[in-house]
Amino acid sequence: SYFLRHARSRNYVSESEECKLESVPLDFGDYHPLKPITVTESKTKKTNRKGSTSSTSSSSSSSLMDPLSSVLDGTDPLSLFAAAADPVTAAPPTDGARRKREKEESSAVGSDFEPWSSKRGEILARYTTTEKLSINLYMGSEKGKATTTGSAVSEKVRTRLEELDDLEEGSQKELLNLTQQDYMNRIEELNQSLKDAWSSDQKVKALKIVIQCSKLLSDTTVIQFYPSKFVLITDILDTFGKLVYERILSMCVDNRVSLPDNFSPESVNDTAKETCLNWFFKIASIRELIPRFYVEAAILKCNKFLSKTGISECLPRLTSMIRGIGDPLVAVYARAYLCRVGMEVAPQLKESLNKNFFDFLLTFKQIHGDTVQNQLVVQCVEIPLYLTLYSPAIDWILQCIAYHAPDVLLTEMMERCKKLGNNALLLNSVMSAFRAEFIAARSMDFIGMIKECDESGFPKHLLFRSLGLNLALADPPENDRLQILNEAWKVITKLKNPQDYINCAEVWVEYTCRHFTKREVNTVLADVIKHMTPDRAFEDAYPQLQSIIQKVITYIHDFALLFSVEKFLPFLDMFQKESVRVEVCKCIMESFIKHQQESTKDPVILNALLHICKTMHDSVNALTLEDEKRMLAALINGFIKMVSFGRDFEQQLSFYVEARSMFCNLEPVLVQLIHSVNQLAMETRRVMKGNHSRKTAAFVRACVAFCFITIPSLSSIFTRLNLYLHSGQVALANQCLSQADAFFKAAVSLVPEVPKMISIDGKMRPSDAFLLEFLCNFFSTLLVVPDHPEQGVLFLVRGLLNVIQDYTWEDNSDDKVRIYTNVLHLLSAMTQETFIYHVDKVDSNDTLYGGDSKFLAEINKLSETVVSQILDHLKTLGKEETLRRQSQLALCFFNTILAHGDLRNNRLNQLSVNLWNLAQKHGFADTKTMVKTLEYIKRRSKQDEMSHFTDLALRLPLQSRT
């Protein structure tokens, strides 16, 4: 009862001045926190001579290195420990050197060179078959496993040759009627068998498997699967080539020192050279051309061990060998493999690659020869389909040749292609492989060549598609741009097959957006709608249609311009499948939020984006994931924030009302709308400088009403509580006192509904901490809320205290007492003649009551109740298991009295001493905290009007834990 009777009178202004930090001028000089750290290292040199002094030399170094790491000499102890424990890492140094070498060799060509690995997946996905396939599997040979210990070297060689012959004479099993997946599984088995044979030191068996796989590349019985078969089998060849190279490299290790990366043949020992020659001799004894070519090409890199010119001598010979392959499809893929290996091991030897391509040009007419035609008739394959089988190989060959090639060479190759008849296939590969800048600069030449191509062979629309892909990457001459578009679109618009049409149109839309105005873009979109609407063809082309939208919004960032494109919204209507339509809407909204710099009130933009946002909102159902809801809400909120009608506040509020009705299923959007309306009310207050007219007062009341009826529709209880508090503060700031009371009453009545556990990021958490935080904020606001003339004194504070009293707290929780302690802070502030803060143009209770004794008596009654509750709770914590909590709460209450009580009163002074002793009684008090608190009291005792703190300090003993 005596706490607030003797509350300390506060002079907030002087206290604020005392607590301000002393301002000291600082000269930072060149200092900047983002500059590299300067480490100053001091070295002390000591000598043993008597009487000598130690000399200290100081050196300063500026470095990006972390000073803590520098003492480790670049070695991390955890990495060293892991290396010692990991047998792989702790292997001989050749492994590390090998990995480094592989990394460097893979980057021998620059990062601008598209590697084969990036094309592999596309080829496997594109060239498939439903026909049955066959494969010959190597069955092994007992002779191959027989040992030849003690035999002469010649006998050993003869045995190995016999083993190779054995393979060619029928030690294999033919598997028929395999599906494509079965075939791929068998090839994978062969790859694994190769690795197993190698690891078990059966090198001849490994070679047999590779020879057998290479033979499969001469088989074109299921011709449309050939590109995929090539990919699968060359994977095995690559594995074999790597194994042989690493085997020979490991033989070059001398005293655990591996060869340097740029080693010369002279540094290779005789054993390694002999082994290397042995491999080449074995391969040379393979009778059939195709396996002999492929296996030798696979180990082409091993020539480095024999002579400096080994690779440069082998490449022309292997190129000439391909001339002996009769089937043009098999031959072109052999050339592609040679280019692939050549680019890996000797990218500088471009002459051989060029010779390879010119050889192909000489044999190009074979593709249209009778032998091939007869083969296609037997397999029921059309010429256009057959020609597309060549594309991966020719594209790769041309990519290798064109890489960093001078324009002179590219022009020569283009001229040679032009001279050949039926050259559409070559033309397509040229446009796929050559630099985009080279193609774009000669766009009209390429269009002329495309026009001259025979339509019956390679389809012209594919040629225009390839040209369009280049023009999306590089710009043609400005004077030719419109003519290029007209020539291309003449061909594209005549395409009857919707899939062919959309594949081309998708590419040329980017060219149109890049170089032309909205009129041309609108024409292209109209043409797409015209082609894709009949028979609902758009349903099979959603990826391409999505790509078109993406390209349009990539190049048109002015959304007023975008939505004035007449056919843009009708184009969106083609997305009938909901999931796709929502994805497209998300793309448009992401682009709007990213590129719209200024707020807008353009009715065209607002109507279009409201329609798009409504589409996203309506896709939400009971099965929609929370992450998806969050993403959609974030996009809609981004749009809402960008809408501004300037000083037309009523129009702004009407927009928010419409948005609330449209987006009622997404809670974060409703929350954003409440915040936006509150902001609108505060903006009105700012414009009126706090002096509302009758019209603006009615308007802010309308804003307040919007929030009051929207908040109850939210499901999250803490969101509701915080919004009631926030909206009440806004109402108070706008002098809407009865409305503010309504918000605060609603918040008070909602507190009992707070559950014990709430879901935070999908996990259940106790709600006590969140409730405590909210109530502390609420108390801070209640200080300035004036009492209602028809209600009792402090009716809101009383109501809130009743709710806190009735709330069911956890047995092991002290939050109720912590809240009561904060209530004492509030009640203490209410007894002051002038409150610490006010709301402009709102009279708080300090003005209304003017320190009236009845008002202070009411506060005193409340404080009586609160203090007795705190002391009762402290008594209940007297059991052994709760003594620590008792100590903490006693100190907390002590600090409250210290800050807010007038300790000149003897009874209050005695209570504070009792609490201090209780905090230390059972040895649970934190000694550092107690010491610092006592030091603070002694410091305060030196201030004016605080001399009584001297006596208090003498009465507060510090007890040891013992």
Side-chain angles (χ1 to χ4, degrees), residues 291-308:
R292 187 166 73 249
F293 164 79
Y294 271 108
V295 180
E296 184 174 353
I299 68 163
L300 180 67
K301 190 176 179 181
C302 295
N303 279 287
K304 287 170 69 176
F305 297 109
L306 300 176
S307 72
K308 287 182 179 178

Side-chain angles (χ1 to χ4, degrees), residues 476-683:
E478 195 168 342
N479 296 336
D480 296 340
R481 288 174 186 174
L482 184 59
Q483 190 181 353
I484 291 167
L485 180 61
N486 288 334
E487 292 291 349
W489 210 261
K490 272 185 210 168
V491 175
I492 296 168
T493 196
K494 287 177 186 172
L495 293 170
K496 298 285 185 265
N497 184 317
Q499 206 59 42
D500 291 343
Y501 171 83
I502 197 64
N503 284 337
C504 269
E506 174 206 352
V507 171
W508 281 88
V509 162
E510 183 166 1
Y511 175 77
T512 311
C513 294
R514 191 171 167 137
H515 298 298
F516 299 99
T517 63
K518 75 167 191 177
R519 189 171 69 88
E520 287 80 6
V521 173
N522 192 54
T523 306
V524 169
L525 293 182
D527 197 58
V528 174
I529 294 169
K530 178 182 159 190
H531 277 80
M532 301 309 292
T533 306
D535 301 324
R536 296 178 71 84
F538 53 76
E539 290 182 343
D540 299 320
Y542 284 138
Q544 292 92 330
L545 294 173
Q546 269 183 276
S547 174
I548 289 174
I549 287 288
Q550 190 66 57
K551 284 166 183 170
V552 170
I553 60 179
T554 298
Y555 286 96
I556 303 179
H557 296 156
D558 180 351
F559 278 77
L561 177 66
L562 177 66
F563 291 123
S564 67
V565 174
E566 189 184 337
K567 294 297 180 181
F568 183 75
L569 291 176
F571 190 94
L572 289 183
D573 292 338
M574 285 198 291
F575 295 99
Q576 302 280 312
K577 188 178 178 183
E578 187 179 64
S579 60
V580 182
R581 188 165 72 246
V582 171
E583 282 303 315
V584 171
C585 291
K586 279 159 66 175
C587 281
I588 295 170
M589 291 310 302
E590 283 167 3
S591 177
F592 175 79
I593 290 166
K594 182 178 178 181
H595 296 114
Q596 185 73 21
Q597 300 296 325
E598 297 175 355
S599 53
T600 181
K601 61 177 182 179
D602 187 321
V604 175
I605 295 179
L606 296 191
N607 289 332
L609 290 182
L610 277 173
H611 170 70
I612 288 167
C613 289
K614 178 73 172 152
T615 301
M616 295 195 299
H617 169 269
D618 292 349
S619 70
V620 175
N621 56 41
L623 300 176
T624 307
L625 297 173
E626 286 302 316
D627 280 353
E628 178 71 7
K629 286 182 186 176
R630 266 197 296 273
M631 183 186 291
L632 295 176
L635 292 172
I636 295 172
N637 285 345
F639 163 59
I640 289 170
K641 290 176 189 173
M642 291 303 296
V643 176
S644 172
F645 289 89
R647 286 290 183 90
D648 191 348
F649 291 160
E650 289 183 355
Q651 184 67 37
Q652 188 83 35
L653 183 60
S654 299
F655 170 76
Y656 292 143
V657 171
E658 184 184 0
R660 180 178 63 185
S661 66
M662 293 177 80
F663 309 125
C664 55
N665 289 334
L666 287 172
E667 192 160 302
V669 179
L670 294 179
V671 172
Q672 176 59 47
L673 287 170
I674 292 167
H675 283 307
S676 296
V677 170
N678 278 328
Q679 191 176 352
L680 187 60
M682 293 306 288
E683 182 64 16

Side-chain angles (χ1 to χ4, degrees), residues 780-793:
S780 301
T781 303
L782 289 179
L783 174 65
V784 292
V785 177
D787 279 347
H788 194 286
E790 295 174 10
Q791 307 281 352
V793 176

Side-chain angles (χ1 to χ4, degrees), residues 849-866:
Y849 291 108
D852 185 79
S853 57
K854 289 181 181 177
F855 173 64
L856 294 176
E858 288 295 330
I859 293 177
N860 193 50
K861 281 181 191 174
L862 277 179
S863 71
E864 231 179 280
T865 310
V866 172

Side-chain angles (χ1 to χ4, degrees), residues 668-909:
V669 179
L670 294 179
V671 172
Q672 176 59 47
L673 287 170
I674 292 167
H675 283 307
S676 296
V677 170
N678 278 328
Q679 191 176 352
L680 187 60
M682 293 306 288
E683 182 64 16
T684 308
R685 177 180 181 273
R686 188 187 65 79
V687 170
M688 299 302 293
K689 297 180 181 173
N691 300 309
H692 284 298
S693 64
R694 182 179 296 179
K695 184 178 180 182
T696 58
F699 176 75
V700 293
R701 284 198 295 274
C703 291
V704 168
F706 175 98
C707 298
F708 193 74
I709 62 174
T710 309
I711 293 172
S713 64
L714 304 174
S715 61
S716 167
I717 192 157
F718 278 105
T719 303
R720 274 186 281 160
L721 282 170
N722 286 312
L723 285 173
Y724 273 135
L725 178 57
H726 183 218
S727 302
Q729 291 165 346
V730 170
L732 196 62
N734 283 283
Q735 300 124 52
C736 302
L737 301 184
S738 58
Q739 286 84 352
D741 278 353
F743 278 115
F744 297 140
K745 282 180 187 173
V748 170
S749 62
L750 194 58
V751 170
E753 297 176 27
V754 174
K756 296 288 172 290
M757 305 290 285
I758 55 171
S759 177
I760 306 285
D761 295 331
K763 293 180 181 178
M764 297 307 290
R765 304 273 189 233
S767 62
D768 296 2
F770 296 97
L771 183 57
L772 181 62
E773 181 188 359
F774 166 75
L775 289 173
C776 289
N777 288 337
F778 200 179
F779 294 143
S780 301
T781 303
L782 289 179
L783 174 65
V784 292
V785 177
D787 279 347
H788 194 286
E790 295 174 10
Q791 307 281 352
V793 176
L794 303 179
F795 72 102
L796 281 172
V797 178
R798 289 175 187 280
L800 188 54
L801 283 173
N802 290 335
V803 165
I804 294 166
Q805 176 66 30
D806 297 338
Y807 187 81
T808 310
W809 300 90
E810 295 289 335
D811 293 337
N812 61 345
S813 169
D814 298 319
D815 285 333
K816 185 176 180 180
V817 173
R818 294 185 191 283
I819 289 168
Y820 281 150
T821 308
N822 280 292
V823 171
L824 288 178
H825 301 168
L826 168 64
L827 295 175
S828 170
M830 283 182 164
T831 63
Q832 305 301 318
E833 284 186 21
T834 305
F835 290 173
I836 187 170
Y837 48 81
H838 294 87
V839 176
D840 189 33
K841 295 185 172 56
V842 174
D843 291 333
S844 297
N845 286 339
D846 57 342
T847 307
L848 295 179
Y849 291 108
D852 185 79
S853 57
K854 289 181 181 177
F855 173 64
L856 294 176
E858 288 295 330
I859 293 177
N860 193 50
K861 281 181 191 174
L862 277 179
S863 71
E864 231 179 280
T865 310
V866 172
V867 170
S868 64
Q869 290 273 1
I870 294 173
L871 294 175
D872 288 346
H873 186 78
L874 282 171
K875 287 175 189 173
T876 64
L877 298 178
K879 298 171 188 172
E880 189 174 347
E881 62 272 15
T882 55
L883 291 175
R884 182 182 294 278
R885 286 165 55 197
Q886 185 188 56
S887 169
Q888 291 171 346
L889 284 179
L891 184 60
C892 178
F893 191 22
F894 172 83
N895 286 329
T896 295
I897 293 174
L898 194 64
H900 299 281
D902 185 353
L903 290 170
R904 286 174 294 198
N905 176 270
N906 291 334
R907 292 179 65 189
L908 197 56
N909 198 305

Side-chain angles (χ1 to χ4, degrees), residues 143-144 146-148 151-165 204 208:
K143 271 194 287 183
T147 57
T148 56
S151 61
V153 174
S154 58
E155 183 62 32
K156 190 175 181 181
V157 172
R158 191 182 306 114
T159 306
R160 290 186 172 176
L161 289 172
E162 285 172 3
E163 287 173 349
L164 288 174
D165 290 342
V204 172
K208 288 180 180 181

Side-chain angles (χ1 to χ4, degrees), residues 350 354 357-358 361 397-418 426-427 429-442 446 449 470:
K350 281 289 188 67
N354 297 347
F357 178 68
F358 292 137
L361 292 183
I397 294 169
L398 285 169
Q399 181 187 324
C400 295
I401 295 170
Y403 182 64
H404 289 177
D407 283 2
V408 178
L409 176 62
L410 300 184
T411 307
E412 183 194 346
M413 291 167 66
M414 192 176 109
E415 291 301 323
R416 288 210 187 189
C417 294
K418 201 186 283 190
L426 272 176
L427 192 55
S429 292
V430 164
M431 289 190 289
S432 299
F434 282 15
R435 289 191 296 277
E437 295 78 11
F438 179 88
I439 305 292
R442 298 161 180 76
F446 277 97
M449 290 161 69
N470 281 287

